[in-house]
Amino acid sequence: EKPMDSPKQFTGLQRILAWSVHIFTASGLLAGFMAILAINAKDWQAAMLWLLLCQFIDGIDGTFARLFRVKEVLPEMDGKTIDYVIDFATYAIIPAYFIYQADLLEEPWRLSSTFSILLVSAIYYGKDGMVSEDNYFVGFPVMWNAVVFFLVFVYDLSPHWNALVILFFAILHFVPIKFVYPSRGRRYRWLSLVITAISLVLAILLLLLYPERPWYMVLAITVALFYYGVRAILDTWAN
């Protein structure tokens, strides 16, 4: 039986490429920090664009990790731990701060809603089986950046409705509903990827047009949101 490769057998270039992937992953935290600066300046468009960049980095770094065999080349490094640290910052902490600063809520719900986001996100990350064996998120995944986007740039809801939406998704973390994982899902994977790509383009266009909200773009991105909601119900029921 052929022995497994040891780190000493990899070339210097391979190790440089592997380290580059970890640095690329970690750069998501830099984009997140830029989002914080934009939030402090009340530049909501820039803040959301930085958060979209965080999500983009998170979406493609795994492809590079597999391409350059990062686990084999650098077994002493745990890329998943790096990823978890950055994800919690960019999907929970920074969006919670965004919600707090964006005047979406009135007192006393402003601070209490922000606290609820942080608490349920931390507990969700510690839950065993966060991703099912058939590659679904179980319960609403920690994607408060998406909630921020819809509340700020898509829908113009009252503070009371905003508080109810946040409460709804906070509870949904712990409801055993299967939410599709677009890049890893098996059922209708290409349809999910296409809808996700279209949604990303629409999101960028809406950001650039803000504070305008063209009705046809709001309708289109609402249809995409409806697709994921229906998929969650059907996939949970079918399994």
Side-chain angles (χ1 to χ4, degrees):
E1 185 177 345
K2 185 179 177 180
M4 293 181 63
D5 292 331
S6 66
K8 294 182 180 178
Q9 292 177 294
F10 292 106
T11 66
L13 177 60
Q14 287 174 308
R15 292 182 67 83
I16 289 171
L17 290 172
W19 273 110
S20 297
V21 173
H22 284 314
I23 293 170
F24 178 70
T25 299
S27 71
L29 204 56
L30 306 185
F33 185 76
M34 293 303 296
I36 293 173
L37 297 183
I39 292 168
N40 286 339
K42 298 191 181 297
D43 188 345
W44 313 129
Q45 289 164 293
M48 198 68 232
L49 285 169
W50 283 115
L51 287 178
L52 282 177
L53 178 59
C54 295
Q55 191 166 347
F56 176 75
I57 293 169
D58 182 49
I60 66 171
D61 62 350
T63 301
F64 290 127
R66 290 185 290 272
L67 179 64
F68 298 127
R69 302 166 64 189
V70 171
K71 282 186 178 180
E72 299 172 54
V73 178
L74 297 173
E76 70 276 15
M77 291 295 297
D78 188 351
K80 187 173 289 187
T81 300
I82 299 173
D83 202 46
Y84 281 159
V85 170
I86 297 168
D87 284 355
F88 193 78
T90 57
Y91 290 137
I93 296 175
I94 298 172
Y97 183 57
F98 200 141
I99 287 173
Y100 181 83
Q101 292 287 67
D103 296 325
L104 293 172
L105 304 164
E106 296 176 344
E107 300 295 352
W109 309 113
R110 188 179 175 201
L111 189 60
S112 59
S113 295
T114 305
F115 279 0
S116 70
I117 291 171
L118 296 173
L119 286 173
V120 299
S121 297
I123 294 170
Y124 183 83
Y125 260 72
K127 186 176 69 171
D128 187 32
M130 186 170 62
V131 178
S132 67
E133 293 182 0
D134 50 353
N135 293 326
Y136 285 94
F137 289 109
V138 181
F140 175 66
V142 179
M143 288 195 66
W144 288 100
N145 53 340
V147 176
V148 168
F149 171 75
F150 279 96
L151 292 183
V152 175
F153 300 99
V154 181
Y155 306 121
D156 188 16
L157 303 176
S158 70
H160 290 94
W161 274 109
N162 287 334
L164 287 173
V165 168
I166 291 169
L167 177 62
F168 172 76
F169 283 106
I171 293 171
L172 208 58
H173 275 306
F174 308 105
V175 178
I177 296 177
K178 290 185 173 182
F179 288 87
V180 66
Y181 197 144
S183 62
R184 293 173 60 185
R186 300 170 188 171
R187 182 179 298 173
Y188 307 118
R189 184 184 178 204
W190 285 108
L191 177 60
S192 296
L193 288 173
V194 168
I195 290 177
T196 300
I198 293 172
S199 299
L200 181 60
V201 172
L202 287 171
I204 293 172
L205 290 174
L206 277 168
L207 282 174
L208 296 176
L209 291 171
Y210 181 78
E212 294 182 28
R213 297 180 176 93
W215 69 267
Y216 52 90
M217 295 179 66
V218 171
L219 176 62
I221 205 163
T222 300
V223 169
L225 184 65
F226 183 75
Y227 164 79
Y228 282 111
V230 171
R231 276 291 308 274
I233 295 170
L234 294 178
D235 289 341
T236 302
W237 178 76
N239 291 281

